[in-house]
Amino acid sequence: MTDIVLVASGDLRESANVQCWPAQAAMEARLTDVLAGMGHTLTRAHPVKEDKGHGFIASQREGMDIFAGIDRDAKLIVAEAVWQYSHHVLPGLSTHRGPILTVANWSGEWPGLVGLLNLNGSLTKAGIPYASLWSEDFDDDFFRAGLSEWLETGTVTQDTTHVHSSGGDAGEDAELVASIADDLRRRKAILGVFDEGCMGMYNAIVPDDMLMALGLFKERLSQSALYHATNQVPKEEARAVYDWMVTKDMTFHLGTDPATELTEDQVIGQCAMYIAAVRMADDFGCEAIGIQYQQGLKDLLPASDLVEGMLNNDDRPDVTRADGSVIRQGQAIVHFNEVDECAAIDGVLTNRLHRALGQPVETTLHDLRWGGPDESGTHEGFVWVFEISGAAPPAHHAGGWAGSESFRQPAMFFPSGGGSLKGYAKPGEIIWSRIFIEDDRLKMDIGRGQSVELPEEEQLRRSNGTTPEWPIMNAILTGVSRDQMMARHKANHIQVAYADTAEAADRAMRAKAALAADLGIEVSYCGVTG
């Protein structure tokens, strides 16, 4: 009888830990049964905290203390059915000698798959060996075969035959690519970082020296400065931004109870933050900015999500300087959600390249939240649910601003409320990519796909199976299966941008790969060839 140790990393917000605990407990019970049937015991390294109402590791210090009592040579499973803060367990995992297996349930209810991918990306960046598995019921052949292999060897063999190295050939756009790369190296650009390390995402922090080699430099800004600047915006200016969105026929689902409903005051507060963020980006000369928004700011202001969606859209409300001139009129100010600095690099490259190519510049990151067959039968194969926690640019939504809605952000995450910028992504050709760190080098995976339209009933099923307040892209990826994507992807986030046609998307993909390679990023095509 072999003993296997289990740990469960959780949120830093106790409200989320309590609400999500039943899903985690059910997953752990199923995993325990499966292992017992294979002749193994699974023992929690930390007890359920009955007084707290959950069994998650809820802080970095708690994680360190728990790992101090774990046999460093034991087989260890990190089981995740929820979003988790990777820094709660990363210190302990960094010195663990035994085989590590990260496991998630294949469910959209809570972001367990998102938490798993963030941990995997963080382990990859840290150079910590691990294996990974996922399953709907832990009884399928893929999961059981992988688990048996891990129990015997400490590894899991995954299919990554879809990955192809890129030589960085831009073809007809070679001169354009070289000019953008040269401009970044010569004139350089600034990323405004409103507090690093959102939600423990170690994988989303890029060391300065790696950025400097690309011509990118951080302006370290404080969310307290953003809070102050937001409070200096006159209410009439903030209301003008709100009125602008209303005239665009965006729908705000307003109520009267600020504790559970979206109120007009919350939206006006978000509009003031938008103005403050644009002005701060201008004051510091930032080409892109990222707002952490989860910790600290959530206790002071409504959520920044509506702000982020506006920023990433060319068609956005004007913001003026003190002299009355408009700041970057008709141009998106790239926002890298959740201060994901890998997404910041990607966003800047995409914005510059797509504008030069005459393609849509709006780009955003999404979580790889979930996915499965289209139950309406409209589309064959696997259809992903990409879903970011609050806002996507309206240009990505079917109907644009008029097809966008704002719902109150869930109270368990955002006590001060604030609205999302939700929509269902329009059908079209997409380029997807992800920059990540492995072996102390910046790398990029890039590929192609389509955002697809689904019948209303199927769309609602998917939305209600996740977080219905948040925007969704239903995507089919070219040449990449579900398990190949999970095996290879080193992040919870994926960057997406549209192109006008399939030919234009192929061209933009090749040019972006070449641009990244010119800047020294190691590029791989996934599911396609250059």
Side-chain angles (χ1 to χ4, degrees), residues 493-527:
H493 291 148
I494 185 169
Q495 197 83 9
V496 293
Y498 281 89
D500 292 334
T501 65
E503 293 76 14
D506 290 342
R507 178 182 176 184
M509 177 190 68
R510 288 191 298 269
K512 187 171 173 179
L515 176 57
D518 193 320
L519 292 168
I521 299 173
E522 183 180 316
V523 180
S524 296
Y525 286 113
C526 294

Side-chain angles (χ1 to χ4, degrees), residues 217-280:
F217 293 78
K218 297 179 190 179
E219 186 75 52
R220 286 179 166 85
L221 302 169
S222 171
Q223 292 192 114
S224 61
L226 180 60
Y227 171 70
H228 173 74
T230 298
N231 286 326
Q232 304 312 302
V233 174
K235 192 166 185 177
E236 58 270 20
E237 287 190 41
R239 177 166 286 281
V241 170
Y242 172 59
D243 291 342
W244 184 96
M245 288 186 284
V246 171
T247 63
K248 290 282 188 176
D249 293 326
M250 181 173 167
T251 300
F252 291 88
H253 297 274
L254 300 177
T256 57
D257 182 1
T260 59
E261 297 175 310
L262 180 64
T263 66
E264 188 175 276
D265 283 346
Q266 290 172 11
V267 177
I268 297 298
Q270 291 178 294
C271 294
M273 191 195 301
Y274 164 74
I275 294 169
V278 172
R279 287 175 175 162
M280 288 188 72

Side-chain angles (χ1 to χ4, degrees), residues 43-250:
T43 304
R44 282 188 126 252
H46 49 106
V48 174
K49 295 172 280 191
E50 301 295 346
D51 59 326
K52 299 287 188 181
H54 68 83
F56 292 112
I57 298 172
S59 73
Q60 184 170 219
R61 182 70 259 172
E62 183 183 4
M64 290 175 175
D65 292 342
I66 287 167
F67 270 90
I70 296 175
D71 179 357
R72 290 172 65 186
D73 295 309
K75 287 184 171 69
L76 179 70
I77 291 178
V78 186
E80 295 301 337
V82 304
W83 170 254
Q84 56 82 40
Y85 281 48
S86 290
H87 78 299
H88 292 173
V89 292
L90 201 59
L93 293 172
S94 70
T95 54
H96 193 77
R97 293 188 295 251
I100 298 167
L101 180 68
T102 64
V103 178
N105 62 333
W106 196 269
S107 169
E109 180 186 15
W110 304 120
L113 292 163
V114 183
L116 173 91
L117 287 168
N118 178 259
L119 181 57
N120 289 354
S122 295
L123 291 167
T124 298
K125 178 187 173 186
I128 301 169
Y130 68 96
S132 191
L133 286 170
W134 44 90
S135 179
E136 290 188 32
D137 57 11
F138 306 104
D139 199 31
D140 56 278
D141 292 340
F142 168 79
F143 179 78
R144 284 184 170 271
L147 185 58
S148 295
E149 182 184 359
W150 181 76
L151 290 168
E152 183 176 343
T153 69
T155 61
V156 176
T157 303
Q158 301 279 12
D159 178 10
T160 56
T161 56
H162 65 294
V163 181
H164 313 282
S165 295
S166 165
D169 182 8
E172 63 189 301
D173 297 309
E175 187 175 335
L176 171 62
V177 164
S179 68
I180 294 174
D182 179 67
D183 186 69
L184 278 170
R185 293 192 187 98
R186 184 168 47 84
R187 297 184 64 252
K188 305 180 180 19
I190 296 173
L191 307 177
V193 178
F194 284 95
D195 295 335
E196 281 187 314
C198 182
M199 297 185 290
M201 293 191 298
Y202 170 74
N203 69 317
I205 302 172
V206 180
D208 287 60
D209 59 327
M210 290 187 181
L211 285 173
M212 291 163 67
L214 310 177
L216 297 174
F217 293 78
K218 297 179 190 179
E219 186 75 52
R220 286 179 166 85
L221 302 169
S222 171
Q223 292 192 114
S224 61
L226 180 60
Y227 171 70
H228 173 74
T230 298
N231 286 326
Q232 304 312 302
V233 174
K235 192 166 185 177
E236 58 270 20
E237 287 190 41
R239 177 166 286 281
V241 170
Y242 172 59
D243 291 342
W244 184 96
M245 288 186 284
V246 171
T247 63
K248 290 282 188 176
D249 293 326
M250 181 173 167

